[in-house]
Amino acid sequence: MRIIFLYISFGLVVASGLQAQSKLNTFLTPSDTLNKPRRNTIVIAEASIAAVTLVGLDQLWYADFERSSFQFNNDNSDWLQIDKYGHVFSSYQLGRLGANTLNWAGVSKKDQLLYGSTLGLGFLTAVEVFDGFSAEWGFSWGDMLANVSGTALYVGQELLWDEQRISLKYSFNRTEFASQNPSILGDGLTEEFLKDYNGQTYWLSFNVNSFFKTEFLPDWLNIAAGFGGEGLLSSNRDNEDFPNQNPYRQYYLSFDIDLTRIKTNSHILKSIFSVFNTIKVPMPTLEYNGKNGFRLHYIYF
């Protein structure tokens, strides 16, 4: 009886879930024509989130540092430029999100690129201005160039190919370096995920069939080239605190999966795949670094 009860209960849950999924699937289906309520909701939501985030940064982050007149900061030699790859990645992904949400509202392709894909560039530019008025940081032209590059990578592919053949992705591993300077590199997984440059890898993931049009390879197969570094304990201006650090670059070559090219009629799955396509799928990986030479990882994330 217990098995039958569980079976029936499971069936009811599945039936209820399918009904809910059907409604959600309809909701997530992009509009064929301009849907003004959706568009207006997106504009209001994005503007509100951006405003709240910037106010929060100003009060919770920048308030802890001395204010200054607007100044510039040349930090291009810091962190083996891994922080700059982070700016490229953020600008690209925020732009992709902005364009995709406007596509869901049925906004024209021209306006998706004009107003949606520039979402990341606009937001990150505001953050750079905040940095400019902080005595601790300063406006970085290197960061701005990285922000522009991320947006240009998205827009350029849409104009050239009408699709994203090259995706920017991210992966992370915990390292031994964060514990040596937790105030800068993070204390605990959540902080390290964002702050520990030693554990961050940024990837350019190339979709094979979008370039070569093969019949024997799956459409979702990608080849990814990654960049990272280790031995990083501080920025160049704080080197006196860690005089013996010996940072080195890491280069990777790996397989990857473009989740957005997996065929499905479910807009729920398409939405989930789109979100998780920001993350590099763990795969066998060949690494080369300036300290140990070549190294094969059976699975690298």
Side-chain angles (χ1 to χ4, degrees):
M1 283 294 293
R2 184 172 60 181
I3 296 299
I4 295 176
F5 173 77
L6 291 173
Y7 181 82
I8 294 174
S9 299
F10 177 76
L12 291 173
V13 170
V14 170
S16 176
L18 288 174
Q19 183 178 8
Q21 286 184 20
S22 177
K23 292 180 179 179
L24 181 59
N25 194 65
T26 300
F27 174 76
L28 292 174
T29 303
S31 178
D32 294 330
T33 57
L34 178 61
N35 187 314
K36 291 184 178 180
R38 286 187 178 184
R39 181 201 61 188
N40 295 341
T41 299
I42 290 170
V43 171
I44 293 172
E46 289 181 350
S48 300
I49 292 172
V52 170
T53 302
L54 291 174
V55 170
L57 280 173
D58 183 60
Q59 296 300 314
L60 300 176
W61 177 261
Y62 291 101
D64 292 336
F65 302 97
E66 182 183 351
R67 309 282 182 166
S68 71
S69 58
F70 194 83
Q71 62 175 351
F72 294 92
N73 174 38
N74 184 354
D75 61 352
N76 294 334
S77 61
D78 285 352
W79 304 113
L80 299 179
Q81 296 80 50
I82 297 174
D83 59 322
K84 301 297 182 281
Y85 282 87
H87 280 264
V88 176
F89 174 82
S90 298
S91 182
Y92 173 87
Q93 294 297 350
L94 285 172
R96 187 174 72 96
L97 173 65
N100 286 347
T101 52
L102 289 181
N103 178 64
W104 172 71
V107 174
S108 68
K109 189 60 174 286
K110 175 184 175 181
D111 287 344
Q112 289 177 36
L113 296 180
L114 186 60
Y115 301 110
S117 62
T118 55
L119 174 67
L121 179 59
F123 177 79
L124 293 172
T125 298
V127 173
E128 283 303 317
V129 172
F130 279 6
D131 281 351
F133 286 103
S134 172
E136 180 73 14
W137 309 108
F139 183 97
S140 169
W141 282 113
D143 288 353
M144 273 304 302
L145 177 60
N147 297 338
V148 171
S149 298
T151 299
L153 179 62
Y154 181 86
V155 174
Q157 292 187 81
E158 291 296 322
L159 294 176
L160 183 61
W161 298 313
D162 198 32
E163 64 176 351
Q164 295 297 297
R165 296 185 178 185
I166 307 170
S167 302
L168 267 175
K169 297 195 175 188
Y170 173 86
S171 64
F172 177 78
N173 289 289
R174 298 192 75 177
T175 73
E176 63 188 34
F177 301 99
S179 61
Q180 300 177 49
N181 191 7
S183 63
I184 298 297
L185 301 179
D187 185 7
L189 178 60
T190 304
E191 290 188 2
E192 292 170 25
F193 185 81
L194 298 173
K195 294 182 177 182
D196 185 5
Y197 294 117
N198 299 280
Q200 298 176 6
T201 306
Y202 292 95
W203 302 84
L204 281 173
S205 187
F206 300 80
N207 183 255
V208 177
N209 272 350
S210 63
F211 285 102
F212 299 106
K213 310 298 182 184
T214 71
E215 296 183 357
F216 56 91
L217 293 176
D219 290 338
W220 44 258
L221 180 64
N222 280 22
I223 299 294
F227 174 81
E230 279 198 356
L232 296 158
L233 293 173
S234 67
S235 64
N236 287 347
R237 59 183 168 176
D238 298 323
N239 270 349
E240 63 274 8
D241 297 329
F242 299 94
N244 297 320
Q245 64 177 321
N246 183 29
Y248 57 92
R249 302 179 190 276
Q250 298 166 305
Y251 303 93
Y252 301 92
L253 186 64
S254 180
F255 295 105
D256 188 30
I257 296 175
D258 186 339
L259 298 176
T260 65
R261 294 179 185 269
I262 296 176
K263 292 180 172 57
T264 176
N265 293 322
S266 170
H267 288 282
I268 298 174
L269 287 178
K270 288 181 179 179
S271 299
I272 293 173
F273 289 158
S274 180
V275 171
F276 282 96
N277 207 48
T278 59
I279 304 298
K280 164 74 169 63
V281 177
M283 287 280 186
T285 299
L286 179 65
E287 173 190 350
Y288 174 80
N289 66 65
K291 182 178 180 179
N292 302 310
F294 287 99
R295 180 184 178 188
L296 179 64
H297 302 268
Y298 293 106
I299 292 292
Y300 181 84
F301 182 67

